[in-house]
Amino acid sequence: MAADSEPESEVFEITDFTTASEWERFISKIEEVLNDWKLIGISSGRPLEKGVYTTGAWEEKSDEISFADFKFSVTHHYLVQEPSDRDGKEEPAEDALPLPMQDLLCMNNDFPPRAHCLVRWYGLREFVVIAPAANNDAVLSESKCNLLLSSVSIALGNTGCQVPLFVQIHQKWRRMYVGECQGPGVRTDFEMVHLRKVPNQYTHLSGLLDIFKSKIGCPLTPLPPVSMAIRLTYVLQDWQQYFWPQQPPDIDALVGGEVGGLEFGKLPFGACEDPISELHLATTWPHLTEGIIVDNDVYSDLDPIQAPQWSVRIRKADNPQCLLGDFLNEFFKLCRRKESTDEILGRSAFEEDGKEVADITHALSKLTEPAPVPIHKLSVTNMVHSAKKKIRKHRGVDESPLNNEVLNTILLFLFPDAAEKLADGVESGTSPSTGNNPPENEDYNLFSQFKSAPSDSLTYKLALCLCMINFYHGGVKGVAHLWQEFVLEMRYRWENNYLIPGLANGPPDLRCCLLHQKLQMLNCCIERKKARDEGKRGSVSDRSPGGSSGDAGKGADHSGDNSKETDKEKEVGKSWESWSDSEEEFFECLSDTEDLKGNGQENGKKGGAKEGSKEPVNLKPEGRLHPHGKLTLLHPGEPLYIPITQEPAPMTEDLLEEQSEVLAKLGTSAEGAHLRARMQSACLLSDMESFKAANPGCCLEDFVRWYSPRDYIEEEVVDEKGNVVIKGELSARMKIPSNMWVEAWETAKPVPARRQKRLFDDTREAEKVLHYLAVQKPADLARHLLSCIIHAAVLKVKEEEVLEDISSVKKIIKQIISHSSKVLRFPNPEDKKLEEIIAQIMSVEAIIARARSLKAKFGVEKCENEEEKEDLQRFVNCLLEQPEVSVLGAGRGPAGSIIHKLFVNAQRLTESSDEVSAMPPLDEELRRSGSSDERRLNTGAVSDFPPPTGREVILRTTVPRPAPYSKPLPQRMYSVLTKEDFRLAGAFSADTTFF
């Protein structure tokens, strides 16, 4: 074996040096990315326009590469520019400088207010950054930094890319970059220094010039002049306590109404603190040549008043406390509460009397009792005091969340009719806000988009009051207390036939929230009960026996209608309202049968003497409204009378859903379909019975001609005598065997509406509504009314925006309305989406508050000169929408003089109170010392402005490097000095042709 192994040991290992190393692979990946992004070759572009770095659009592309197992992200930042037309233009000269080197000397975009830090430091329009991919990774060692720089240099040389390539080193928060840019025979090195503590010699311009010149190392003895751009930034912070116009609300005066917009029914608006925290004034000297000014450790010519350019930016307060936003957030928190009203208030003693218990048997027994004695004065106060006595049995007087004064104020606001002396309940039947508002008003119709309630409705007012109570008067306990009192008032009005004010007449409006529909349903029940009780009293007292003349007049009014369908639409539903106004015998439906005998005779009189004399006693016409006017019965040939019919039962959306579920559960079988048809034809059967009672001897064809004219087809035919006559017959669908209409007609008996079973049981429905209201938890209530609160907030924001006229706010309000209408239209919207709506409303409130704060600080309203006032208004609007705004006229313009006063005030306030009192008023002093020199002599420049918070300097020159005979190339150094750090960012170019 040993002999065999000897030849193998002599075989030497061959190392393949052509295999790529990790470093070479990394360089290849950089080159590949540059090729993919088409950054190869000569870069071309137009000279930069002034301000394009701020107004133009910046975009970026990203990719990921790795060096061994260390990942880097590569990002290409560039300013989007229109492609330049190269047709007919000569290619750039071979010795032309790369575009980035030309940008180093461009002075049109110094100190851009919103840009990448490398754009601000070097003035570049395009660059690539290689940085560690993970946030916590960093390139710290010098050898690794040099390795990356070498990789960048090789990749640029191999590809001919002229776009600067940067590498981020050290921790990311330090924003340290080194990089390189290559061109034909030229190279620019980008270097950086970042220090926490500033060396004293670099705190002024002369020291920075020294370091710049030493770094260039220009061999020429008369050094070419260095151009300078200098910016000093001053910060104004302590102004809010002197210039914030918003006064805190006076909560104690809430009941009196003198609260400045905080009375019940109105949402508050505005910021409780100044939404503008700081004002940054940047004074700029854009074009200076070395030697023109002096700035050293002893003396400085850099007086901000003398600066040729002023620009201002504002720093907004983070999440300023705003009244409307706080109201919305606190109300929204109610939606997450779990407690019931009884758990919050403690078990009440309402059960003792039994009046407040939603017991259907108790409610039905009320119908058999004599009519209630009319109450001549509806007093909410009396009712509240009696309710509170019951509450106090289980809860101390001091524990009551709402005191009597606040509670009475709210209830009188919600129910204004309670303050009036009413001899009868008739006057309360028309609510002050019923149907008077123009429906074409865009703001008024917002409720249909938000599914809330009209802005003049009781539901809307209740939502605002609950929101106010929740914020100022006891939170959730106050809400529960007010809601309990509200339910008591609803039951009181139901039992005493008082209509609820602030609700539109008619059935529930399905465009509104469910709570509003429930209140409308209760109002419908009160109307029916009230009409029934009044009719009962009228018949007992045997008043106006000749009341048929009223109905005859109505019949005459309507007899001229030409369209059959119009007659049907107008008259089928004309029952309950007309009955409540007339002495129709419908109100005898609950009386004994003996009382009804005489009513048939009255009906006979109403129907006319002809019908009464010809028909037998048991076929006397009953329940007629008025003659149709055109139609006659087919067989007897007598006039066709439109009957008094029952209205269809009003429905809320939850009842409609229940009904649709029941009908859907019947299935698709023949039996199920038949049963479903019978359930849906209850109203049809009632109308048929009313029609038969009003028109003795009629047939189905007569009913169809009135009820559904399209199902009765008439055509002209020639009879035996040759005369053209009109012959009619039922439509095809009416002739189908086992037709629902035919079956209903056969089963229908001639029963007038007053003796039929009620389609709408108002007593049962009212008790259901009252029970529904009583079991609502504060959280349920907040969910129901949140759409009303958002609706009110949007209206408030629109109202406030009109005063300010801010274009950006108009757009946001439109977005809020669009977003809210999509979210609130559906039941149970997600909390996250509701929070987004509230956040949008809060942002608008903050913008308007900022506008008002700036107007107050700059005295826009006080300015007497119209031209100056317009300039100031435009200046304030620009401050809100732009990152930085130039001040026209710098320190001598109208806005500049105001800013100067603000700084002088802030400086003087820092001095002792004795010194302040001893100094003359500011305006007199400014008038007396008109020129800047006088001001400097009198008060001193330091007293006008604080020490600058930031000093930025850009030094530029063009010199040959590294030899006197080299090509003159751009050199640039940027310096920024703040309290916490000092940074130098240099771009130094060199000729590489012979070096």
Side-chain angles (χ1 to χ4, degrees), residues 711 713 730-736 739:
D711 282 308
I713 302 169
L730 294 176
S731 64
R733 78 180 183 110
M734 290 293 179
K735 295 178 181 178
I736 298 174
N739 188 317

Side-chain angles (χ1 to χ4, degrees), residues 71 199 321 332 421 550 563 655 658 775 821 833 859 960-961 969:
K71 291 185 177 180
Q321 183 185 2
F332 183 62
K421 293 182 179 180
S563 170
L655 295 178
E658 289 177 15
V775 299
S821 61
K833 293 182 178 178
R961 284 183 74 221
L969 296 173

Side-chain angles (χ1 to χ4, degrees), residues 826-948:
F826 301 100
N828 304 318
E830 297 177 15
D831 284 1
K832 186 178 179 182
K833 293 182 178 178
L834 293 172
E835 287 170 354
E836 289 174 0
I837 294 172
I838 293 173
Q840 283 181 307
I841 295 173
M842 290 172 65
S843 69
V844 171
E845 183 183 20
I847 293 172
I848 295 175
R850 289 187 199 112
R852 291 180 176 171
S853 173
L854 289 171
K855 276 187 175 181
K857 290 173 175 60
F858 286 94
V860 175
E861 301 301 330
K862 297 177 183 178
C863 185
E864 297 177 358
N865 188 329
E866 282 298 322
E867 190 175 343
E868 287 186 9
K869 186 175 182 179
E870 289 180 9
D871 290 342
L872 285 175
Q873 180 68 53
R874 202 177 300 114
F875 177 73
V876 166
N877 290 342
C878 291
L879 273 178
L880 291 170
E881 299 176 0
Q882 298 177 15
E884 191 171 285
V885 182
S886 297
V887 180
L888 294 176
R892 294 172 178 79
S897 61
I898 292 172
I899 295 168
H900 181 207
K901 288 180 185 178
L902 290 174
F903 274 99
V904 173
N905 273 335
Q907 285 299 100
R908 295 177 69 175
L909 287 167
T910 58
E911 301 176 10
S912 64
S913 57
D914 295 338
E915 291 175 348
V916 171
S917 59
M919 292 176 73
L922 173 65
D923 292 337
E924 291 181 15
E925 186 176 339
L926 286 175
R927 281 198 300 269
R928 189 173 64 243
S929 56
S931 68
S932 60
D933 295 335
E934 290 174 354
R935 278 199 298 271
R936 196 177 305 157
L937 290 172
N938 292 339
T939 61
V942 178
S943 66
D944 280 10
F945 289 89

Side-chain angles (χ1 to χ4, degrees), residues 165 434 486 547 776 809 858:
L165 213 57
T434 301
F486 184 86
Q776 292 297 301
V809 171
F858 286 94

